[in-house]
Amino acid sequence: MNVNRTIQTLDEFTIQQLRDFPNATGELSNLLRNIGLAAKRINTEVNKAGLVDILGDAGNINVQGEEVKKLDVYANDQMVRVLQHGISCAGIASEELDDFVAFDDEKSVKSKYVCLFDPLDGSSNIDVNVSIGTIFSVYPRVTPVGTVVTKEDFLQPGIKQVAAGYIVYGSSTMMVYATRRGVNGFTLDPSIGEFTMSHPDIKCPETGKMYSVNHGNFFEYSKPVQQYITACQKKDKTNGGPYTQRYIGSMVSDVHRNLIRGGIFLYPGTTSKPKGKLRLLYESNPFAFIVTVAGGKATNGKIPILDVVPTELHERTPFFVGSIRMMEELETYLQNT
Ligand code: P6P
């Protein structure tokens, strides 16, 4: 059997990046490998999620006598554990936790980074076997290394991110992450239990033919958003329509598809929820960073998402992200807001 030595694993790739930047400390590479480990553990449980009903529903005691946890709680525990036991993260904030968690042990306080994440986005889709994902965002701390992190380390604008990524637990399990040097995708090879490079140097196509939005909220969207959505459905020389509408209802899947194929994803504010549904810090900012590094664009409908200065850990924001030409087309409508 030919062993393909040219396919890099996530670990090999992050170590190669370290070799290319000799003055790098290796902390970020180590943090990304930690997330890869958590993702493999989460993937194992997600893949048998459907069996939980057979083996005993969440909250029950399984055959090993362990409490069967809700998957999103399990995913959160795995992310916290690998980051807390690593030496590259000084604290975390999670969609699952009300407040941030400072890692105050003597090793962690010396770490340069903090990590924010949604451990299992779209978890309501699990019991109907729709793809779900983990989303993460990495910032350099603003408080002095050696001290315990504070909330200001987490309330930074998305432009300050040093890395962001996601894992999509789909037909295959993929980890995609961006640093300022580019976006790379790794597919989990179950035969060796490693993420292996499958999508090097991902670029978001300048335009596309897909738009993703929840049409059910149409009559609650602003007029300019309604006009744009209507234009997407018309054969129109200016926007190259009609587009195809694709909406899985799992952000990681919808944005991943549009990143690879080109397209636009919209989660606008509505009359009942003017801030929309998606979280700024650990859903919108990571995807905005990834798509922007890949050549796309992301806004809150008014300004680049990455420029928004957060005031709360769990604040929501309207979110528009995708191929740059499609985003520019959308903005010709939104400027009439
Ligand atoms: P709606 C999943 O619950 C999620 O947070 C995102 O993954 C997804 O894009 C969005 O909500 C779907 O929301 O209101 O369209 O069902």
Side-chain angles (χ1 to χ4, degrees):
M1 176 183 80
N2 285 331
V3 178
N4 183 341
R5 286 283 174 223
T6 59
I7 294 183
Q8 271 188 322
T9 65
L10 173 68
D11 289 11
E12 289 171 322
F13 179 76
T14 53
I15 290 164
Q16 184 60 50
Q17 298 287 298
L18 190 49
R19 290 167 65 93
D20 293 349
F21 279 73
N23 52 358
T25 62
E27 269 195 70
L28 182 59
S29 298
N30 193 44
L31 192 155
L32 291 164
R33 286 197 295 276
N34 291 160
I35 292 174
L37 173 59
K40 288 191 277 190
R41 289 177 172 156
I42 295 166
N43 178 64
T44 302
E45 292 308 306
V46 164
N47 281 349
K48 62 186 178 189
L51 286 174
V52 166
D53 290 338
I54 302 167
L55 300 178
D57 203 349
N60 290 357
I61 304 298
N62 67 16
V63 289
Q64 288 83 18
E66 298 151 347
E67 184 204 351
V68 181
K69 286 187 176 175
K70 275 167 63 69
L71 264 181
D72 37 15
V73 173
Y74 173 82
N76 186 66
D77 291 351
Q78 295 310 312
M79 289 290 286
V80 174
R81 192 171 300 166
V82 294
L83 293 170
Q84 189 157 26
H85 296 170
I87 53 171
S88 309
C89 184
I92 62 100
S94 168
E95 194 264 349
E96 286 292 320
L97 303 172
D98 289 343
D99 204 353
F100 71 94
V101 177
F103 300 155
D104 55 8
D105 62 278
E106 62 167 333
K107 287 282 185 196
S108 298
V109 294
K110 293 175 187 155
S111 301
K112 288 192 304 193
Y113 300 113
V114 294
C115 188
L116 301 90
F117 50 80
D118 184 348
L120 207 57
D121 179 70
S123 49
S124 57
N125 291 310
I126 290 171
D127 47 14
V128 290
N129 212 10
V130 168
S131 301
I132 52 181
T134 299
I135 313 166
F136 65 90
S137 175
V138 184
Y139 289 83
R141 60 184 295 176
V142 293
T143 51
V145 169
T147 65
V148 176
V149 292
T150 65
K151 185 159 279 189
E152 71 174 309
D153 289 304
F154 298 91
L155 295 181
Q156 300 184 55
I159 195 72
K160 301 285 191 186
Q161 292 174 96
V162 290
Y166 58 89
I167 295 91
V168 51
Y169 308 101
S171 47
S172 64
T173 295
M174 266 192 80
M175 177 168 168
V176 175
Y177 78 82
T179 63
R180 293 194 178 286
R181 302 183 63 209
V183 185
N184 291 282
F186 302 81
T187 299
L188 185 61
D189 178 346
S191 69
I192 57 171
E194 293 289 355
F195 282 105
T196 53
M197 175 76 85
S198 54
H199 296 67
D201 195 22
I202 296 174
K203 296 296 182 199
C204 183
E206 279 200 358
T207 189
K209 299 290 283 179
M210 284 185 201
Y211 73 104
S212 307
V213 70
N214 182 336
H215 267 269
N217 299 329
F218 184 85
F219 292 107
E220 285 208 50
Y221 294 144
S222 68
K223 276 283 171 273
V225 169
Q226 290 181 353
Q227 287 161 353
Y228 174 73
I229 292 172
T230 302
C232 288
Q233 301 168 71
K234 287 183 174 170
K235 198 165 187 57
D236 178 317
K237 286 294 159 279
T238 54
N239 76 354
Y243 296 151
T244 295
Q245 203 267 352
R246 284 282 182 279
Y247 192 71
I248 300 171
S250 181
M251 179 184 200
V252 177
S253 301
D254 280 316
V255 182
H256 175 72
R257 181 200 55 243
N258 293 351
L259 172 67
I260 302 295
R261 294 227 181 119
I264 189 168
F265 173 92
L266 307 89
Y267 207 105
T270 60
T271 45
S272 54
K273 295 178 184 167
K275 283 276 194 183
K277 172 182 183 184
L278 300 180
R279 309 287 185 173
L280 171 63
L281 286 179
Y282 41 78
E283 289 177 335
S284 304
N285 269 342
F287 276 113
F289 183 79
I290 295 160
V291 174
T292 304
V293 170
K297 196 170 183 181
T299 78
N300 63 1
K302 295 185 171 65
I303 64 170
I305 274 277
L306 297 177
D307 293 344
V308 175
V309 179
T311 55
E312 292 163 29
L313 283 181
H314 302 291
E315 71 182 71
R316 300 175 194 268
T317 178
F319 189 47
F320 306 85
V321 63
S323 296
I324 190 153
R325 297 286 164 266
M326 300 178 85
M327 287 292 295
E328 287 166 350
E329 173 86 19
L330 166 68
E331 285 168 344
T332 64
Y333 290 81
L334 297 185
Q335 66 198 12
N336 303 327
T337 301

